Amino acid sequence: MQSLAGKTAFITGAGSGIGRQSAILMAKSGARIVVCERDEQAGQETVAAIVGEGGSASLVVADVSDDSQMRSAVDTACSRNGGLHVLFNNAGIFPDGDGSPVDTPLDIWEWVIDVNLKGVFLGCKYGIPAMLESGGGSIINTASFVAVMGAATSQIAYTASKGGVLAMTREIAVEYARQGIRANALCPGPVRTPLLEEFLSDPEVKARRLVHIPMGRLAEAEEIASAVLFLASDASAYVTGTTFLVDGGITASYVTPE
Ligand code: NAD
């Protein structure tokens, strides 16, 4: 297994789904985990799952879209663990009401951009100086396959936020490459997590999504976590600035086989 021994990983939204599975896998690989969550109980459950298996984890409660909360969350993570080596900006939302540009209310647009895009910016704003002080590291920012292709179901704010994450991550990768920081945009296809399950509870919407996936199924959060571990570890030492698709073949397909 790829080793993260001696490294500290700060993971936003680690109380559920992809973030939680990535935290558990990175802890098994030897990292000290800092769970950064808005939902205290969910965050505590992830910490308990890791500590129960003999791993190292602690919680900071913060809303990724809040400047002062993110600054103090990163400070706390560094003072508890003596540095920061892996930054996984994973927290994201996909609320009801995010639809076409015509129908989406302005407050929904602003909320999605605040969490999904500003949240990643703030993670980088405070995480990068801490990583530089720690001798470098790996940033994984969560975008989505919808950052590279049009969604079949309308979700304009979500799509715009993920496009922003992808572009921002490329620039960070280029700017910090010679200072020992790598940055990659993780672009998952649809994953079976609470974020998507509610949306896909409508069978028609679900069928419309599945028809575009050559593998014919959603990803499991554990499958995305494996990619995150690769990007976090030195196994990906020459990988930076990528649009790292983990999408069951969606972006490769024009016509999906029967
Ligand atoms: P999830 O809903 O299961 O988990 C998201 C976690 O983020 C929750 O624990 C939630 O409490 C936390 N969170 C939400 N807003 C927050 C905030 N403001 N501050 C701190 N924490 C906050 O979601 P998931 O499916 O695991 O998604 C994780 C990431 O992957 C998101 O960025 C999402 O957009 C992206 N993604 C998901 C899919 C999918 O199909 N599930 C596909 C592509 C990309």
Side-chain angles (χ1 to χ4, degrees), residues 3-56:
S3 173
L4 292 179
K7 302 204 167 161
T8 298
F10 184 94
I11 306 174
T12 67
S16 175
I18 297 166
R20 172 175 285 175
Q21 293 309 322
S22 300
I24 290 171
L25 187 61
M26 285 198 231
K28 282 187 184 146
S29 307
R32 291 180 296 268
I33 306 298
V34 180
V35 169
C36 174
E37 249 300 336
R38 175 187 62 174
D39 178 339
E40 185 169 2
Q41 195 188 330
Q44 268 164 356
E45 284 168 17
T46 301
V47 169
I50 291 171
V51 172
E53 292 286 315
S56 163

Side-chain angles (χ1 to χ4, degrees), residues 12-20 36-39 42-43 62-65 88-94 111 115-116 142-145 158 162 186-197 209 221:
T12 67
S16 175
I18 297 166
R20 172 175 285 175
C36 174
E37 249 300 336
R38 175 187 62 174
D39 178 339
D63 179 332
V64 294
S65 65
F88 182 22
N89 287 307
N90 158 80
I93 55 168
F94 184 27
W111 183 29
V115 175
N116 292 8
T142 303
S144 164
F145 73 102
Y158 185 86
K162 296 303 188 180
L186 177 74
C187 297
V191 189
R192 205 168 58 81
T193 70
L195 177 132
L196 195 64
E197 268 169 347
R209 259 294 153 81

Side-chain angles (χ1 to χ4, degrees), residues 19-185:
R20 172 175 285 175
Q21 293 309 322
S22 300
I24 290 171
L25 187 61
M26 285 198 231
K28 282 187 184 146
S29 307
R32 291 180 296 268
I33 306 298
V34 180
V35 169
C36 174
E37 249 300 336
R38 175 187 62 174
D39 178 339
E40 185 169 2
Q41 195 188 330
Q44 268 164 356
E45 284 168 17
T46 301
V47 169
I50 291 171
V51 172
E53 292 286 315
S56 163
S58 64
L59 173 66
V60 284
V61 177
D63 179 332
V64 294
S65 65
D66 185 296
D67 182 40
S68 64
Q69 289 182 30
M70 278 304 276
R71 186 174 44 211
S72 84
V74 173
D75 276 357
T76 304
C78 290
S79 54
R80 270 184 204 159
N81 298 290
L84 180 62
H85 312 95
V86 175
L87 172 63
F88 182 22
N89 287 307
N90 158 80
I93 55 168
F94 184 27
D96 283 346
D98 185 8
S100 75
V102 176
D103 298 330
T104 302
L106 188 57
D107 61 337
I108 295 282
W109 166 272
E110 287 173 344
W111 183 29
V112 172
I113 298 293
D114 260 12
V115 175
N116 292 8
L117 183 55
K118 187 169 95 181
V120 173
F121 162 73
L122 291 174
C124 293
K125 182 174 178 57
Y126 297 114
I128 288 172
M131 292 174 98
L132 288 172
E133 266 185 40
S134 310
S138 172
I139 299 172
I140 301 123
N141 291 333
T142 303
S144 164
F145 73 102
V146 302
V148 297
M149 37 183 352
T153 44
S154 59
Q155 44 183 35
I156 196 69
Y158 185 86
T159 297
S161 72
K162 296 303 188 180
V165 169
L166 178 58
M168 180 164 62
T169 306
R170 274 196 297 260
E171 183 169 310
I172 290 167
V174 172
E175 185 166 354
Y176 291 96
R178 296 192 182 194
Q179 294 174 70
I181 293 182
R182 297 184 294 110
N184 290 284

